[in-house]
Amino acid sequence: MQKEIYYPNPEFAKDARINSMEQYHQLMDEAKRDYEGYWKKFADEKIEWYKPYSKVLDESNAPFYKWFTDGKLNVSNQCIDRHLEKRGDQTAILFEGDRGDVEHISYKELSERVNRFANLLKEKFGIKKGDRVVLYMPMIPEAAYAMLACARIGAIHSIVFGGFSAEALKDRIIDAEAKLVITADGAYRKGKPYLLKPVVDQALSDGVDSVEAVLVVQRNREEINWVEGRDHNYNELIESFSTKCEPEMMDSEDPLFLLYTSGSTGKPKGVQHSTAGYILWAQMTMEWVFDLREGDVFWCTADIGWITGHTYIVYGPLAAGTTTVMFEGVVTYPDAGRAWKMIEQHGITQFYTAPTAIRLLHKMGADEPKKYDLSKVRVLGTVGEPIDPPAWKWYYEVVGRGKASIVDTWWQTETGGHMISPLPGATPIKPGSATFPLPGIMAEVIECDGSPTPVGEKGFLCITKPWPSMIRTIWGDPERFKKSYFGDCKKYGKPVYFSGDGAMVDEEGYITITGRTDDVINVSGHRIGTAEIESAIKKIDRVAVSAVVGKPHNIKGEGIFAYIVLKDANDDKEAIKEEINAVLKQEIGAIALCDEIVFVPDVPKTRSGKIMRRLLRSIAKGEPITQDTSTLEDPTVVDEIQKIVKEG
Ligand code: WT7
């Protein structure tokens, strides 16, 4: 299948940081020739070290790799202090509230606020290096101050997305043994105030021993419950703390943050990131993939509760010294023109969002972008799921006016930063393909035995060499870290990182991501484990068995499709549907609600009792069954389920 190829706009490419495929190959060859030397060059050039490192990469305890051994640095220094002389008055964070309120926070102001915040954490709450601090925050600048304040004093932050429920928040607080929770009364969304603090109250109501205090930022000043002695008002406290706080000398390998993500079992994994390797790659990818230049205004629409928000709203842009936009609201409110209006108003030069948002904006107003001046936009990014060709085309032609480069960036919570992506001034693009690994990243599509997958066939997407910003471990569970990502290391002669995604390589080396190969589904670019959903549904007594699969959805990418077997087939199905969604909302959050629920007499199982999810996925999609069903415990169940699904 020959796909259309789009070449970089020559006018733009001539000044790009990486402006040809020759330059790309040169960098890649360098990395292949001398891997450590390649990374050393960038680590020396990009990072302000307090004390130089002694070794670039230590593989002696693989897969627990260490980068830049014994080096000392501080991420808040990298993101703030070192810019002050040159960029003190430049806007660091450009905040736009849901209701259109705008605030420019300069690097100098950012420095004062982060230093104050760091002193508050240290002096008021006794937070020390290595302590865990959970953030349950809306998209307001204080969230970024809190992250950087933690980094400044060496505390490990763990951000829980504001859409997660009290139960999910509680699990994450307990797993991290957090000492402090930082939250807000609430914020604004679609013109209305909403609340976060009550969720924190509920999460802490029972069975959490580690939390000593809750720090509350006032955003909407709605009435909230107050626990005397435990709760503290940020706005009242902050001004009394000094604007100078010496950054802690952090080791390259000290953890910078934890971020929980879904895996194939019920319990979310606390992905642990490092200090030096993470910030280096955050900065490098920021510069390369978005072709960052002086005066740029960069907008990533993610939430800081996801890795995209960590790396491309806060750490990457600030380490690179650019202006980063932080938006409290949603891009479809008050209308389909909000995003385009913001791009025009703030002179945004790079816009980074998810395919699900692109599809929605396209559907809501295909011609809407034409009403605004989007001429400053040079790079348009996508992340989170494969982008379908119609969405790609609209993004390219209407939003980018055929001039901006589209970068389809493939990466994961675990990779810390982009791994496979076009370089906007160099890579000829085939829509739907994330194209090539970034310089220095050794991505390959392989078979179970480690041999390369033939061209045009689906294989496992793996990273065959460690990279600086990779996950270091799963918090409190190093065994699970090894098992989840490195399989049986011996088989390949060396540990190889398995991403959990399938991919295909074409004859020219273009990589196309085909989706997860494990039991994880991708809803609107967010990862949810089917096991997590099933274990929540299990709490309903009247359900005998549940099996959850992903089904293609025209806006969300994938929707959640649940097969339910009732203990009593005559039970009230509508009531149970409601109960299922209520339990999912309570245990996980609104992102886990089912799009479709079907009641079936049984689910297909192998003779050893394993649910055949592959079959269930095919049935949900309405695909003909090509798999061999003869090994099933009861093959007739397949026809029955197919009939039920077809009849809706
Ligand atoms: C999973 C990672 C990394 C930021 C957002 C999600 C899917 C991510 C792409 C892309 C196709 C993609 C993968 C991956 N994914 N980017 N450009 N094309 N699929 O982070 O929650 O850790 O999810 O998102 O399946 O494994 P995450």
Side-chain angles (χ1 to χ4, degrees), residues 8 42 81 100 277 304 327 349 367 373 450 463 489 526 576-577 584-585 611-612:
F42 292 110
D81 307 44
I304 46 133
F327 178 45
T349 43
D367 291 325
D373 177 7
I463 317 295
C489 300
H526 303 310
I576 292 190
K577 274 189 188 175
L584 289 171
K585 199 160 176 195
I611 297 177
M612 295 279 285

Side-chain angles (χ1 to χ4, degrees), residues 64 473-474 476-485:
F64 299 94
T473 188
I474 291 173
D477 202 347
E479 270 315 302
R480 189 173 178 201
F481 166 69
K482 276 205 266 187
K483 266 205 222 107
S484 311
Y485 303 108

Side-chain angles (χ1 to χ4, degrees), residues 493-562:
K494 61 171 184 177
V496 161
Y497 174 86
F498 271 69
S499 68
D501 278 345
M504 239 156 37
V505 182
D506 75 5
E507 50 291 326
E508 289 167 304
Y510 280 79
I511 300 173
T512 298
I513 315 296
T514 54
R516 302 288 307 186
T517 58
D518 53 10
D519 292 321
V520 168
I521 46 190
N522 187 328
V523 181
S524 304
H526 303 310
R527 239 155 93 179
I528 304 175
T530 53
E532 253 172 279
I533 300 174
E534 288 164 11
S535 81
I537 297 178
K538 233 186 236 135
K539 306 215 157 155
I540 302 173
D541 207 35
R542 290 181 291 170
V543 172
V545 181
S546 75
V548 170
V549 297
K551 175 187 173 179
H553 183 285
N554 62 356
I555 297 289
K556 298 189 206 177
E558 262 187 310
I560 301 174
F561 190 106

Side-chain angles (χ1 to χ4, degrees), residues 340 358 361-362 365-366 369 389-400:
W340 322 126
I358 298 168
L361 289 168
H362 181 192
W392 193 96
K393 265 205 131 108
W394 180 73
Y395 205 32
Y396 180 75
E397 282 165 6
V398 181
V399 183

Side-chain angles (χ1 to χ4, degrees), residues 308 383-386 408-413 501 516 522 527:
T308 311
V383 59
E385 46 171 320
D408 174 355
T409 62
W410 176 85
W411 59 299
Q412 309 176 291
T413 303
D501 278 345
R516 302 288 307 186
N522 187 328
R527 239 155 93 179

Side-chain angles (χ1 to χ4, degrees), residues 52-74:
Y53 52 91
S54 57
K55 190 167 173 28
V56 175
L57 170 62
D58 175 359
E59 299 185 87
S60 60
N61 191 23
F64 299 94
Y65 299 102
K66 290 191 177 127
W67 283 89
F68 312 115
T69 315
D70 299 326
K72 302 281 182 222
L73 72 161
N74 185 288

Side-chain angles (χ1 to χ4, degrees), residues 617-629:
R617 270 196 292 270
S618 300
I619 297 173
K621 282 190 206 165
E623 279 174 2
I625 304 297
T626 53
Q627 292 105 318
D628 176 17
T629 54

